[in-house]
Amino acid sequence: MVIGIDHGYYAIKGANVCFPTGTAVYDYEPYTMQNVLQYAGKYYVCGTGRQTLLKNKTANDTYYLLTMVALAQELRYRKAAKKTGIVLAAGLPLASFGREKRPFREYLLRKEQPLRFLYERESYELFIEEVKLFPQGYSALALHPEYVNGEPSVLLVDIGGWTVDLMRLDNAVPNAATCRSLELGVIRCIDEIMEQVRRSTGLSVTDVQIERVLNGNPCSMDPEVRAMILQHGRIYTERILSAIMEAGFDLKAIPCVFMGGGSAILKRNVKPQDGICREIYLTDVHANAAGYERLVGQMSKR
C-alpha cells in the first residue's frame, strides 16, 4: 500500500488525515488513550497543539513518531489491514531537496523492520518496503495539471507553517535555479498577531483562535480583537507579495498558484489592486500527500 505523508512544521497531513505536530511523552499510561502512540515502552500523546520549531526534522525522533501516527490514521481511514507492507511517499522543499534527500530517507527507512507499535490500544505491524521522496508543492500539481497546461511560465507559492517556498515552472517543468525559501510561514504570522493583541488589549488569544478567524470561520471573540486579527491578515498578505517580488518574481507578469496551509489566508486578502496576473488557489491541505501517492502510482505504471 502506498501512503503519502506531508511532514509540515505546523501539521502532519496524509491524503485523508491531518493533525498538529505537537507531542507529549509519558512514562506511564495517560488519563486517556485517545491519540496515544505506544512505542519503545513510552506513551506519546500526539496532535496536542504545535511543537517547538525544529528546522532539522531528523534531529530527533519526533517526526518518526508522528509518521507512525499518520500511518495508523491513514490505515484506519482506509479500513486497511494493520499488518501490511507500506511504500512511504514523502516530500522535501525543492530548494534543499538534494541536500536533505539522503538523510531524510535514512531517517524514515530504518533497519527496524517490521515497525511495531500501538495506536489508541490497537496493534500495528508495518513493513516499510521503500521510501520515495518528491519535491513539495510541485507534487501537488500531479493532481491538477490543468493549472499549468498551456502556460509557458507559472509561479508556485507553497505557504507552509514556517517557510514560503517559491518555484517557477517553465513549460510545466520546475526551474531549479529559481527556487527560493522564505521564512514567512503562517507560524510567523500567528505569533506576531498574538503579540500584537496582547500589547493592545492585554488578552492572550490562542493560535487556534487566530487561525479560525484568519480562515473566516466562526469564533467567539471580542469584535475589536477580531478586527485586529483580520487587519493583520491583510498585512501578512502584503508582506508575502512584497517578498515574492523582492525575490525576483513579477506577479503582474506570470500566473501564480498559491497552495499550502496559508493559501486560504491569501485567498481572503488578495485584492484587485494587487494586480496579480492570474491567481490560482489550491487550498486543499492534503494536496501534497495525495500528489506523492499519485506520482508513485505513475512510476509503478511506467
Side-chain angles (χ1 to χ4, degrees):
M1 180 176 293
V2 179
I3 297 182
I5 298 177
D6 183 0
H7 298 82
Y9 287 110
Y10 193 86
I12 301 292
K13 287 86 66 178
N16 305 286
V17 303
C18 177
F19 58 93
T21 57
T23 58
V25 59
Y26 297 89
D27 290 325
Y28 303 99
E29 182 176 321
Y31 71 96
T32 175
M33 294 303 288
Q34 184 177 359
N35 298 325
V36 173
L37 170 74
Q38 292 175 251
Y39 176 71
K42 292 188 179 297
Y43 298 84
Y44 300 90
V45 180
C46 300
T48 55
R50 165 167 51 94
Q51 67 167 310
T52 303
L53 178 66
L54 188 68
K55 289 189 176 182
N56 180 7
K57 296 175 182 177
T58 63
N60 58 35
D61 280 340
T62 298
Y63 276 92
Y64 190 60
L65 299 169
L66 293 170
T67 299
M68 295 184 213
V69 175
L71 291 173
Q73 290 192 9
E74 278 289 330
L75 289 171
R76 178 185 296 175
Y77 183 92
R78 304 178 193 197
K79 296 180 171 57
K82 298 178 179 62
K83 182 177 181 180
T84 186
I86 300 290
V87 174
L88 179 57
L92 292 166
L94 188 58
S96 56
F97 189 82
R99 182 180 72 252
E100 298 179 1
K101 181 178 179 180
R102 181 176 177 181
F104 196 53
R105 182 179 181 275
E106 292 174 349
Y107 177 81
L108 295 174
L109 185 62
R110 304 191 182 186
K111 295 180 180 178
E112 176 191 5
Q113 297 285 356
L115 180 59
R116 296 186 177 94
F117 60 89
L118 276 76
Y119 180 66
E120 296 186 345
R121 298 189 188 278
E122 294 184 336
S123 177
Y124 291 82
E125 185 175 320
L126 307 178
F127 186 85
I128 310 299
E129 299 176 357
E130 182 58 275
V131 172
K132 300 287 188 181
L133 296 178
F134 302 97
Q136 290 174 196
Y138 176 67
S139 300
L141 292 180
L143 301 175
H144 299 280
E146 68 274 12
Y147 291 162
V148 295
N149 287 343
E151 292 286 359
S153 293
V154 174
L155 178 64
L156 183 64
V157 181
D158 189 356
I159 307 172
W162 185 248
T163 60
V164 176
D165 294 314
L166 310 176
M167 179 198 317
R168 198 183 76 209
L169 283 73
D170 296 328
N171 297 317
V173 177
N175 185 332
T178 66
C179 293
R180 302 287 186 274
S181 188
L182 314 174
E183 293 188 348
L184 284 174
V186 179
I187 294 174
R188 288 276 300 273
C189 172
I190 291 176
D191 287 348
E192 289 173 4
I193 291 175
M194 290 175 68
E195 181 61 26
Q196 187 62 42
V197 170
R198 189 181 299 113
R199 288 180 182 178
S200 301
T201 68
L203 298 175
S204 296
V205 294
T206 68
D207 54 351
V208 182
Q209 287 179 302
I210 294 172
E211 185 179 4
R212 287 186 66 86
V213 172
L214 288 174
N215 288 323
N217 297 319
C219 177
S220 299
M221 182 177 290
D222 185 294
E224 178 187 356
V225 175
R226 177 185 292 275
M228 189 180 301
I229 293 173
L230 294 174
Q231 178 187 7
H232 278 79
R234 172 59 190 174
I235 294 173
Y236 174 63
T237 298
E238 292 174 349
R239 286 181 63 191
I240 288 183
L241 296 181
S242 176
I244 292 172
M245 297 287 282
E246 291 173 2
F249 302 99
D250 191 343
L251 295 176
K252 298 181 180 180
I254 61 175
C256 188
V257 177
F258 295 102
M259 64 166 296
S263 59
I265 300 175
L266 263 72
K267 186 176 182 178
R268 289 179 54 82
N269 287 282
V270 166
K271 298 180 178 180
Q273 56 262 37
D274 293 321
I276 301 177
C277 170
R278 176 192 172 202
E279 69 254 35
I280 302 164
Y281 298 97
L282 182 54
T283 57
D284 181 8
V285 296
H286 306 283
N288 266 322
Y292 302 150
E293 294 184 9
R294 174 73 65 85
L295 290 173
V296 172
Q298 293 174 353
M299 293 169 62
S300 300
K301 290 178 181 178
R302 288 197 295 268

